[in-house]
Amino acid sequence: MSSPFSLTLDWLSFTLPSGTVNETMEMLEGDWIKDKGGFRGYPHCWMTVAATRGVGKLGTGAKRAPLEVHVDLSAGIVSSWPAAKWRTVLQWIWQHEGHLTRLDCALDDRESTVPLSTIKQAIEAGQCVTRADRLQIISASSIHKGTPQGETLYVGSPQSQTMLRIYDKRAELQTKERDDWASYGIRWELQLKDDRAQISGTVLSHIEETDWREYIISVLRSYVDFRETSREEPDDDRYRSPLLGWWK
């Protein structure tokens, strides 16, 4: 029986110290076109757009490193890649001595077993044990109807190597009138950058696909844990406290 808790790799950015535009496009596939403008400081840019509204950009030709190639691929492109393609692309990046600059991993609680309100209350009560110090809550609403459209919890800083977004993916897709909105639920989305992205990408490229979800959950738990504690307790006691029932 398949689990309602699923993993999707949702964003990929990487840099090659030297490479060719054509070889990179051939490896990534898709229809690429030359753009008039630049991209992330690279004067030459190519773009590809997927049927699912995903966007890919490739930049090269920087004065500081003329042969360097940088690529950003959004969820609409990479989320549909099979594991075999992910592994091929990642290993190809390593073969070219490249490095990842961003890797997003989305864990979906498709049955919404734990509502967003429960998670929010635990964080506000000091039951979230984490290295991060920042919690940001962003609420969305319809300008024309005045109706709420859900909240997103951000744990950590956008400038750090790890940030966690927690939100109701089902509500988001229902607002966008996506046909598959009912198959989603609460999303735990890890944004990994630089060294964190590089380490996780290396592990995923070498382990079996059946172990991917377990590994990413271990990355999530190394960043946040929810325990029967409070922020007034000493750190050692907080980390040794029993897990909250819903988190366990």
Side-chain angles (χ1 to χ4, degrees):
M1 181 177 178
S2 62
S3 170
F5 198 60
S6 62
L7 167 67
T8 304
L9 300 182
D10 221 37
W11 188 287
L12 175 65
S13 297
F14 64 90
T15 303
L16 305 176
S18 62
T20 67
V21 171
N22 288 338
E23 183 185 4
T24 305
M25 291 177 182
E26 183 178 345
M27 170 56 63
L28 300 176
E29 302 178 307
D31 297 321
W32 294 80
I33 58 172
K34 186 76 161 58
D35 191 34
K36 294 180 180 179
F39 164 60
R40 294 192 182 278
Y42 297 93
H44 306 302
C45 173
W46 285 259
M47 291 183 59
T48 184
V49 179
T52 52
R53 299 183 180 179
V55 177
K57 287 191 174 184
L58 182 155
T60 190
K63 289 184 178 180
R64 56 176 175 76
L67 299 180
E68 187 173 276
V69 174
H70 180 79
V71 176
D72 281 0
L73 301 170
S74 74
I77 292 178
V78 299
S79 62
S80 62
W81 282 4
K85 179 164 182 177
W86 268 101
R87 187 173 286 109
T88 297
V89 170
L90 289 172
Q91 292 181 355
W92 176 81
I93 293 171
W94 313 148
Q95 291 166 6
H96 288 72
E97 300 183 346
H99 62 273
L100 303 192
T101 57
R102 178 175 166 184
L103 177 67
D104 288 9
C105 306
L107 291 158
D108 285 300
D109 174 10
R110 291 182 178 269
E111 293 184 354
S112 297
T113 310
V114 181
L116 196 66
S117 58
T118 298
I119 303 165
K120 179 181 176 183
Q121 288 168 8
I123 296 175
E124 292 176 340
Q127 295 176 316
C128 179
V129 180
T130 176
R131 300 186 304 274
D133 185 54
R134 178 179 179 181
L135 169 66
Q136 184 176 10
I137 302 173
I138 296 181
S139 301
S141 62
S142 169
I143 293 176
H144 301 292
K145 298 179 181 178
T147 53
Q149 294 181 343
E151 293 181 326
T152 300
L153 311 181
Y154 292 83
V155 180
S157 165
Q159 284 72 46
S160 65
Q161 292 196 10
T162 307
M163 186 175 70
L164 173 65
R165 290 184 288 267
I166 313 170
Y167 60 99
D168 191 334
K169 186 69 174 179
R170 180 180 299 170
E172 179 196 55
L173 296 181
Q174 189 174 18
T175 299
K176 295 178 179 178
E177 300 181 346
R178 276 263 301 266
D179 293 337
D180 59 347
W181 64 268
S183 65
Y184 285 85
I186 302 301
R187 171 165 285 196
W188 300 70
E189 190 171 83
L190 280 165
Q191 178 179 297
L192 308 174
K193 295 166 66 177
D194 300 325
D195 291 345
R196 299 285 181 184
Q198 181 79 352
I199 292 169
S200 294
T202 301
V203 173
L204 292 175
S205 70
H206 287 90
I207 64 175
E208 295 298 324
E209 180 191 359
T210 52
D211 297 326
W212 283 12
R213 182 178 59 184
E214 182 179 354
Y215 170 70
I216 295 301
I217 288 174
S218 73
V219 176
L220 172 66
R221 287 203 57 203
S222 71
Y223 188 62
V224 294
D225 243 351
F226 291 86
R227 296 180 175 271
E228 295 178 9
T229 184
S230 67
R231 55 175 57 89
E232 287 76 25
E233 292 189 20
D235 285 345
D236 289 346
D237 292 341
R238 284 169 55 79
Y239 279 96
R240 287 197 296 262
S241 299
L243 298 177
L244 291 176
W246 60 263
W247 180 242
K248 185 178 181 179

